[in-house]
Amino acid sequence: MMTRIVAVVAALAACAGTQRTDDDDAQRIATLEQKLAAQEQQVDQLRALIATPHASSPDDEAKRLRLLEAKVDDLAAQAIAARAATTPPPPHHVGPDPSKLYAVRVGGAPQDGPANAKVTLITTSDYACPYCERIRTTLDDLRKKYGNDLRVVHESFVVHKGQSLDVTPHAVAACAANKQKKWRAMDDALWDEAFKARAFDAATLDTIAEHAKLDMKRYHADIPACEKEIADENAAMQKLGVGAIPTTYINGHVLTGAMPIENFEALIDQALADANASIARGVKQDRYYDQEIVGKGTDTP
């Protein structure tokens, strides 16, 4: 349990790649102090639970552990919300502009849906981001709703890569699984066995890969190439101005954050209408994304 608490504390940063350095804003400091005071209360409660003598029965002990885990999750959620509320991107950071059309290339990232889909949704994530985990169900629901009209592409943009927490190896592992056409099995295992258990150490990756039924010899052989692929994906997203995850592009139009499914549907419906109009004018469907989105979009923020 203590290992889990340490891992949670290490993952308390919001899913952003940049941090504000100007600490002179008195109002922001006051807000942050209020958030920290609330978290200190949570820490005191956690300490009290940890110090509680073991319960008299296995059922009582299980209840105590569940309560302790709930406190840990609550503390993590509060810290993430506090960081999101009090730490905006720095003044020099320019994020993607929702009014622009972006030339987001697909490359070799994992894909769910036909290559000639009228709408291509490209989402960025890493395996320590709670907001990215939150939209997994949303993306699955969108694929079911729109069927062959929608392609979902999963790009890596690793923001959790500090000394205490680095999930770059997890992105590399998912890439290696994709080369065996087992990305989905590996993706599910990384979220269920690593993220949910707050077990972010790279040493568990072989076990997770085995659970995903990968060919382990081929898996290890593909790691060097995947390290370069993940680095290239991160560089491409940075060039577009991505600074936080999840950032999603729907036929080149950006949507930032774990938004309700209705926000995704609104952009997809508009993108689908635009695609149908272009196809009716003679644009080939299998060329639509490359010609009308990548060909006419910008690749800078």
Side-chain angles (χ1 to χ4, degrees):
M1 177 56 65
M2 287 304 297
T3 301
R4 184 183 179 203
I5 294 172
V6 171
V8 169
V9 173
L12 291 186
C15 299
T18 53
Q19 295 183 357
R20 184 180 178 89
T21 58
D22 181 4
D23 294 328
D24 297 327
D25 189 326
Q27 181 61 45
R28 295 182 60 77
I29 291 175
T31 301
L32 181 57
E33 287 176 344
Q34 292 175 358
K35 298 289 185 181
L36 289 175
Q39 290 170 27
E40 285 172 355
Q41 290 182 342
Q42 290 287 319
V43 170
D44 289 341
Q45 293 175 0
L46 281 171
R47 286 172 176 160
L49 280 169
I50 293 168
T52 301
H54 285 242
S56 58
S57 71
D59 287 344
D60 289 340
E61 178 65 10
K63 290 178 182 178
R64 188 181 78 88
L65 289 175
R66 283 197 297 271
L67 180 59
L68 181 56
E69 290 172 352
K71 290 289 185 182
V72 170
D73 290 340
D74 186 46
L75 178 60
Q78 285 192 34
I80 289 169
R83 175 64 63 82
T86 60
T87 310
H92 66 270
H93 175 72
V94 179
D97 183 346
S99 68
K100 287 187 176 182
L101 178 70
Y102 287 94
V104 191
R105 291 168 174 79
V106 173
Q111 301 181 36
D112 180 16
N116 68 340
K118 297 175 182 176
V119 179
T120 295
L121 182 158
I122 299 176
T123 188
T124 62
S125 66
D126 79 17
Y127 286 102
C129 173
Y131 301 109
C132 303
E133 198 276 337
R134 189 179 301 170
I135 69 167
R136 291 172 67 205
T137 301
T138 298
L139 297 176
D140 286 343
D141 289 344
L142 291 171
R143 275 284 297 125
K144 292 175 184 176
K145 176 177 180 178
Y146 291 97
N148 288 337
D149 282 337
L150 178 66
R151 167 176 59 164
V152 176
V153 181
H154 299 268
E155 293 273 358
S156 290
F157 187 73
V158 181
V159 302
H160 294 92
K161 49 185 176 182
Q163 291 183 348
S164 60
L165 175 63
D166 185 358
V167 292
T168 304
H170 298 64
V172 172
C175 166
N178 188 47
K179 292 185 180 299
Q180 298 186 36
K181 302 187 184 304
K182 292 185 178 180
W183 174 83
R184 187 56 186 257
M186 187 65 173
D187 182 71
D188 287 342
L190 285 167
W191 286 114
D192 294 340
E193 298 181 37
F195 176 80
K196 290 183 179 179
R198 305 300 192 266
F200 293 115
D201 55 300
T204 63
L205 287 177
D206 275 9
T207 301
I208 293 174
E210 289 170 354
H211 290 173
K213 302 186 184 307
L214 298 186
D215 177 331
M216 296 304 294
K217 183 177 180 180
R218 181 180 173 186
Y219 167 77
H220 286 293
D222 286 332
I223 292 297
C226 280
E227 289 175 339
K228 184 180 184 306
E229 286 187 31
I230 296 303
D232 289 345
E233 286 181 20
N234 276 257
M237 291 299 124
Q238 263 188 322
K239 183 179 179 182
L240 287 168
V242 174
I245 50 177
T247 294
T248 302
Y249 294 89
I250 297 173
N251 272 13
H253 292 283
V254 69
L255 181 66
T256 304
M259 295 297 162
I261 193 170
E262 293 80 11
N263 295 50
F264 289 86
E265 290 172 338
L267 278 179
I268 292 172
D269 289 342
Q270 183 59 57
L272 188 56
D274 292 342
N276 285 331
S278 294
I279 292 168
R281 291 195 301 268
V283 176
K284 299 295 184 183
Q285 182 172 329
D286 59 356
R287 294 287 303 152
Y288 175 75
Y289 186 79
D290 286 340
Q291 178 178 320
E292 299 298 308
I293 308 303
V294 176
K296 297 181 178 180
T298 180
D299 61 357
T300 61

